[in-house]
């Protein structure tokens, strides 16, 4: 599968996503059903010390990743490499700045990540750099294929892969990172905030009737959209919208005629994407397509650019992305 649209400037989230498209759209996905769940704490005040103790990790700890590979951690990892922007954000969010000894070339958030040693790309990282960093564990995400993971493991690189398909998967992954690193309390704070952000959106749109729900089309690179089975599709559903591409599966190239026929009420796009040949932004490309001036979203000025990284990274800011999607679809509900 070829990526036909040249793009000169894009966010690192969208770039990472596009680099993996041919694998995500055409390959088989293995969902991580074995991520550790957050330990339950007692609601009784007099058992708070015991509850706090339950957030400490007991080693040795054995877990499986999304590929089914089993990992046994004898202690909290002291040297961590991440070759996925979403995973890097999660690891920093739970307070692992000192333990992170390397990140991918695309990792730019938080600001501190930019100063970490670079480990190459997200699909094919720099093997020599990773080995030299001597990591206890290497985290990767949706952008790396299982085949690439297997090759790295053949070099004795301990690579732990995630493959989140929805917000709950993202949350479970963050809880798993907290358990692996004995940062469960920090992970709980992040997860609690994410759940609050998600709940606020769901609560705001729950009263919408079926005929009030808006049809939504999302485009994150020229000619590419997303259907069922991916977290970006779920963001639209959680925000009370109806994804017009929900009759497709995964990442796919669009049919311009089909989108005209579907007639979405709202069009969302990655706002920093610029076509290399025409120098046009994605919003202008969308509005300039033949026949698209008849689409309700275009006629009503509901073609809205969103922060690429919030839109594309299944990490701790994914619920902020959800909030932005919801505000774009139903601005009156989120004034």
């Amino acid at each position: 599968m070829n990526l036909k649209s040249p793009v000169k400037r894009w966010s690192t989230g969208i770039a990472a996503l596009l680099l993996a498209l041919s694998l995500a759209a055409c390959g088989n996905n293995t969902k991580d059903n074995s991520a550790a769940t957050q330990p339950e704490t007692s609601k009784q005040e007099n058992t708070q010390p015991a509850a706090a103790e339950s957030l400490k990790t007991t080693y040795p700890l054995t877990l499986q990743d999304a590929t089914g590979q089993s990992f046994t951690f004898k202690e909290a990892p002291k040297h961590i490499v991440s070759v996925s922007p979403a995973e890097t954000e999660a690891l920093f969010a739970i307070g692992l700045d000192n333990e992170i000894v390397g990140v991918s070339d695309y990792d730019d958030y938080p600001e501190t990540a930019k100063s970490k040693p670079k480990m190459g790309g997200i699909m094919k990282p720099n093997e020599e750099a990773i080995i030299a960093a001597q990591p206890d564990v290497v985290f990767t995400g949706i952008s790396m294929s299982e085949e690439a993971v297997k090759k790295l493991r053949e070099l004795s690189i301990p690579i732990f892969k995630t493959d989140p398909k929805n917000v709950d998967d993202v949350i479970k992954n963050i809880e798993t990172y907290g358990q692996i690193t004995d940062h469960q309390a920090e992970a709980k704070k992040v997860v609690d905030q994410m759940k609050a952000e998600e709940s606020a959106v769901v609560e705001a749109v729950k009263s919408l009737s079926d005929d009030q729900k808006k049809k939504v089309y999302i485009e994150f690179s020229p000619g590419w959209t997303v259907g069922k089975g991916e977290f970006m599709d779920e963001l639209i559903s959680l925000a009370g919208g109806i994804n017009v591409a929900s009759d497709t599966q995964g990442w796919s190239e669009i049919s311009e005629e089909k989108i005209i026929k579907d007639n979405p009420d709202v069009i969302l796009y990655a706002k920093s994407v610029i076509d290399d040949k025409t120098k046009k932004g994605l919003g202008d490309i969308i509005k300039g397509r033949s026949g698209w001036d008849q689409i309700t979203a275009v006629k009503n000025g509901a073609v809205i650019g969103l922060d690429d990284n919030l839109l594309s990274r299944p990490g701790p800011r994914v619920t902020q992305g959800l909030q932005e999607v919801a505000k774009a679809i139903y601005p009156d509900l989120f004034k």
Side-chain angles (χ1 to χ4, degrees):
M1 184 174 294
N2 296 317
L3 298 180
K4 299 178 181 178
S5 299
V7 178
K8 182 175 183 181
R9 192 173 79 230
W10 48 25
S11 78
T12 53
I14 295 296
L17 195 58
L18 287 175
L19 286 173
L21 271 178
S22 59
L23 296 171
C26 303
N28 293 324
N29 292 315
T30 302
K31 188 173 180 180
D32 182 4
N33 292 318
S34 54
T37 57
Q38 177 184 323
E40 270 192 36
T41 57
S42 172
K43 296 180 181 179
Q44 298 179 10
E45 293 185 6
N46 60 2
T47 59
Q48 284 182 351
E53 186 63 27
S54 72
L55 293 177
K56 297 293 292 180
T57 301
T58 300
Y59 299 97
L61 172 70
T62 299
L63 295 171
Q64 286 186 335
D65 75 348
T67 70
Q69 178 75 17
S70 182
F71 291 78
T72 296
F73 298 91
K74 296 181 180 179
E75 60 181 359
K78 295 181 175 64
H79 301 92
I80 297 172
V81 165
S82 171
V83 286
S84 165
E87 272 54 55
T88 296
E89 288 196 18
L91 296 169
F92 272 102
I94 64 173
L96 293 165
D97 188 337
N98 293 333
E99 288 81 3
I100 296 171
V101 296
V103 299
S104 87
D105 293 346
Y106 293 96
D107 294 10
D108 62 352
Y109 188 91
E111 188 68 24
T112 313
K114 296 180 181 179
S115 62
K116 293 291 183 178
K118 300 303 180 183
M119 301 288 122
I122 56 174
M123 290 180 65
K124 194 177 185 301
N126 187 320
E127 299 158 355
E128 292 80 8
I130 292 177
I131 292 171
Q134 298 183 316
D136 300 310
V137 64
V138 179
F139 290 108
T140 189
I142 61 174
S143 301
M144 188 178 292
S145 69
E146 290 191 20
E147 181 181 1
V149 169
K150 182 179 178 181
K151 289 180 179 178
L152 291 174
R153 286 174 179 160
E154 290 172 353
L155 297 173
S156 299
I157 294 174
I159 187 158
F160 189 105
K161 176 176 167 55
T162 68
D163 190 20
K165 298 299 183 184
N166 52 50
V167 174
D168 282 347
D169 286 348
V170 176
I171 286 173
K172 289 175 183 176
N173 287 340
I174 293 172
E175 291 171 341
T176 297
Y177 301 145
Q179 189 174 19
I180 290 172
T181 61
D182 198 18
H183 277 60
Q184 292 193 56
E186 295 87 343
K188 185 179 185 303
K189 290 180 181 178
V190 173
V191 164
D192 286 348
Q193 179 64 32
M194 293 176 68
K195 289 180 178 179
E197 290 167 349
E198 179 184 5
S199 295
V201 170
V202 173
E203 181 68 21
V205 302
K206 72 176 185 179
S207 62
L208 292 171
S209 61
D210 288 343
D211 60 347
Q212 290 176 317
K213 291 185 176 181
K214 294 182 181 180
K215 294 184 293 182
V216 180
Y217 168 69
I218 190 167
E219 187 165 335
F220 52 86
S221 181
W224 284 87
T225 192
V226 62
K228 287 293 186 185
E230 301 295 342
F231 71 92
M232 209 179 287
D233 171 71
E234 187 195 37
L235 295 186
I236 295 173
S237 297
L238 288 173
I242 300 171
N243 182 8
V244 298
S246 61
D247 55 346
T248 65
Q249 191 73 23
W251 318 104
S252 61
E253 290 183 282
I254 68 169
S255 163
E256 293 188 16
E257 294 76 15
K258 180 182 181 301
I259 304 304
I260 294 173
K261 182 179 178 181
D262 290 335
N263 193 28
D265 301 298
V266 178
I267 294 177
L268 307 177
Y269 67 93
K271 66 181 179 182
S272 77
V273 174
I274 296 178
D275 183 77
D276 190 30
K277 289 184 177 180
T278 65
K279 310 301 181 184
K280 290 183 177 180
L282 186 50
D284 289 334
I285 292 172
I286 290 170
K287 288 180 284 188
R289 287 178 180 146
S290 177
W292 282 44
D293 57 344
Q294 297 304 307
I295 294 176
T296 298
V298 179
K299 289 193 292 186
N300 292 344
V303 180
I304 303 163
L306 299 179
D307 184 294
D308 306 3
N309 291 340
L310 294 183
L311 195 63
S312 65
R313 290 183 181 177
R317 294 190 295 164
V318 71
T319 45
Q320 295 178 32
L322 170 62
Q323 290 177 322
E324 293 305 304
V325 169
K327 290 175 185 177
I329 301 173
Y330 301 108
D332 291 341
L333 294 179
F334 296 92
K335 288 182 179 180

